[in-house]
Amino acid sequence: MKGHAVCEAPRPRGRGFPVRLFPFVLCRSRQGCEVKMIELDQLSKRYGHLTAVNRLSLSVKRGEVFGFIGPNGAGKTTTLRMIGGVLAPTEGSIVIGGINIVQEPERAKRQIGFIPDRPFLYEKLTGMEFLRFTAALYGHGDGVFNAKSEKVLKQFSLWDWADELIESYSHGMKQRLLMASTLLHDPEVLVIDEPMVGLDPAGIRMVKKLLRDLAQQGTTIFMSTHTLGIAEDVCDRIGVIHKGVLIALGTLQELKHRAQIEEGDLEEIFMILTEAEPTV
């Protein structure tokens, strides 16, 4: 077809789905694939006279770790909740893996794993019972559940606590359990709000490695964080939002150019970029 090409990259982790046709893409391996897994177009969210997110447009490709940073109240969590299907946008569109989340929410959400900044769990369940509940929500029977539950609990150092009530877990353990449950259905897209909250240094190191490993396998990751050093270490590209407006977007080197500095870390870049008022 003229103007179109076939993406020949296999679907991640052998899920048995057919390879789709994506427009304007040609790649033969996951590592060079330019498939857009998240597409935001003129996305806005208003609460009365308050505009939390204002005409946000960006895209994130398959296998990319995208960082979303900004001051408190900038619109980060609102954006992530819209991408995760928790909030409906006032205007604009959200397309996940070629599926419009407003028009086909169930199909789009099957591709998404959403991890909020504060874990909301059923604390009278055990860790294993919560995983079974989560698997059932996605329509997975005992076959998938039995194959994956032990693996993810061990991966997040929770196997010894699998039969303990969640109310006995520490905050960090609850955060790790939420991450484990999110990976049960092999999401194509991970949306994570403050992934390191409540984690100890060993947990932070484990999650950083996990994010990079998932990206290598083709998972797309959209994460917000106030821990700029982690964003600098993990993310391929970073977007800076301020007062609901995307004011900068690019790699660390591109952000340095935008901030007109040659040296310096992401914290310095962030302070320079957010000093000025965004233009609408």
Side-chain angles (χ1 to χ4, degrees), residues 225-247:
T225 182
H226 283 298
T227 312
L228 301 185
I230 290 174
E232 192 170 353
D233 289 345
V234 174
C235 297
D236 300 306
R237 286 190 306 143
I238 296 168
V240 184
I241 188 171
H242 187 39
K243 297 183 180 180
V245 176
L246 186 69
I247 61 171

Side-chain angles (χ1 to χ4, degrees), residues 159-176:
W159 178 244
D160 291 340
W161 295 78
D163 297 320
E164 300 294 329
L165 292 178
I166 295 171
E167 66 183 5
S168 68
Y169 286 19
S170 68
H171 179 83
M173 292 169 66
K174 291 175 182 177
Q175 189 76 355
R176 297 202 309 271

Side-chain angles (χ1 to χ4, degrees), residues 44 68 100 104 117 130 179 247:
S44 297
F68 202 48
N100 188 301
E104 300 182 84
D117 57 339
F130 182 75
M179 291 184 184
I247 61 171

Side-chain angles (χ1 to χ4, degrees), residues 239-268:
V240 184
I241 188 171
H242 187 39
K243 297 183 180 180
V245 176
L246 186 69
I247 61 171
L249 175 67
T251 65
L252 185 62
Q253 288 302 317
E254 289 168 340
L255 293 181
K256 285 181 180 180
H257 179 73
R258 174 75 170 78
Q260 298 181 346
I261 61 173
E262 294 183 2
E263 301 295 334
D265 58 13
L266 185 57
E267 181 178 354
E268 184 176 353

Side-chain angles (χ1 to χ4, degrees), residues 3-272:
H4 291 66
V6 177
C7 173
E8 297 181 7
R11 303 282 282 186
R13 294 179 290 280
R15 293 171 211 162
F17 292 107
V19 175
R20 293 180 182 172
L21 301 183
F22 290 88
F24 310 110
V25 176
L26 178 60
C27 61
R28 296 184 179 276
S29 70
R30 214 154 34 231
Q31 296 306 313
C33 193
E34 297 295 327
V35 173
K36 294 179 181 179
M37 289 301 294
I38 301 174
E39 298 176 82
L40 311 181
D41 184 27
Q42 296 293 302
L43 188 65
S44 297
K45 183 64 178 180
R46 290 190 292 272
Y47 299 95
H49 297 295
L50 173 66
T51 300
V53 177
N54 191 4
R55 295 184 292 183
L56 174 63
S57 295
L58 60 84
S59 63
V60 184
K61 67 182 180 180
R62 173 179 289 168
E64 182 176 13
V65 182
F66 183 83
F68 202 48
I69 64 175
N72 288 332
K76 301 185 302 297
T77 294
T78 299
T79 300
L80 267 67
R81 288 178 178 174
M82 287 192 286
I83 297 172
V86 178
L87 289 177
T90 304
E91 293 176 353
S93 66
I94 304 166
V95 177
I96 305 294
I99 302 170
N100 188 301
I101 198 169
V102 175
Q103 297 172 357
E104 300 182 84
E106 289 189 13
R107 281 189 65 207
K109 288 178 184 180
R110 286 187 179 276
Q111 300 187 83
I112 299 171
F114 179 61
I115 302 175
D117 57 339
R118 293 186 296 273
F120 296 98
L121 306 170
Y122 295 102
E123 298 203 341
K124 293 301 181 182
L125 297 179
T126 67
M128 185 66 80
E129 287 170 342
F130 182 75
L131 290 189
R132 186 179 295 277
F133 169 75
T134 303
L137 288 177
Y138 285 94
H140 295 314
D142 286 344
V144 172
F145 173 76
N146 292 334
K148 298 209 66 177
S149 58
E150 180 176 349
K151 175 184 175 182
V152 295
L153 286 172
K154 288 182 176 179
Q155 184 177 20
F156 287 92
S157 302
L158 291 170
W159 178 244
D160 291 340
W161 295 78
D163 297 320
E164 300 294 329
L165 292 178
I166 295 171
E167 66 183 5
S168 68
Y169 286 19
S170 68
H171 179 83
M173 292 169 66
K174 291 175 182 177
Q175 189 76 355
R176 297 202 309 271
L177 179 64
L178 189 60
M179 291 184 184
S181 69
T182 302
L183 296 179
L184 274 177
H185 70 289
D186 286 327
E188 301 265 7
V189 173
L190 269 181
V191 181
I192 316 175
D193 197 356
E194 294 292 347
M196 309 306 178
V197 170
L199 298 182
D200 59 19
I204 291 173
R205 183 177 181 181
M206 179 268 293
V207 171
K208 286 168 65 175
K209 182 178 185 303
L210 173 69
L211 295 180
R212 294 308 316 173
D213 288 347
L214 288 171
Q216 286 293 317
Q217 296 168 33
T219 302
T220 302
I221 298 166
F222 192 112
M223 58 175 275
S224 75
T225 182
H226 283 298
T227 312
L228 301 185
I230 290 174
E232 192 170 353
D233 289 345
V234 174
C235 297
D236 300 306
R237 286 190 306 143
I238 296 168
V240 184
I241 188 171
H242 187 39
K243 297 183 180 180
V245 176
L246 186 69
I247 61 171
L249 175 67
T251 65
L252 185 62
Q253 288 302 317
E254 289 168 340
L255 293 181
K256 285 181 180 180
H257 179 73
R258 174 75 170 78
Q260 298 181 346
I261 61 173
E262 294 183 2
E263 301 295 334
D265 58 13
L266 185 57
E267 181 178 354
E268 184 176 353
I269 295 169
F270 176 83
M271 297 305 297
I272 292 171

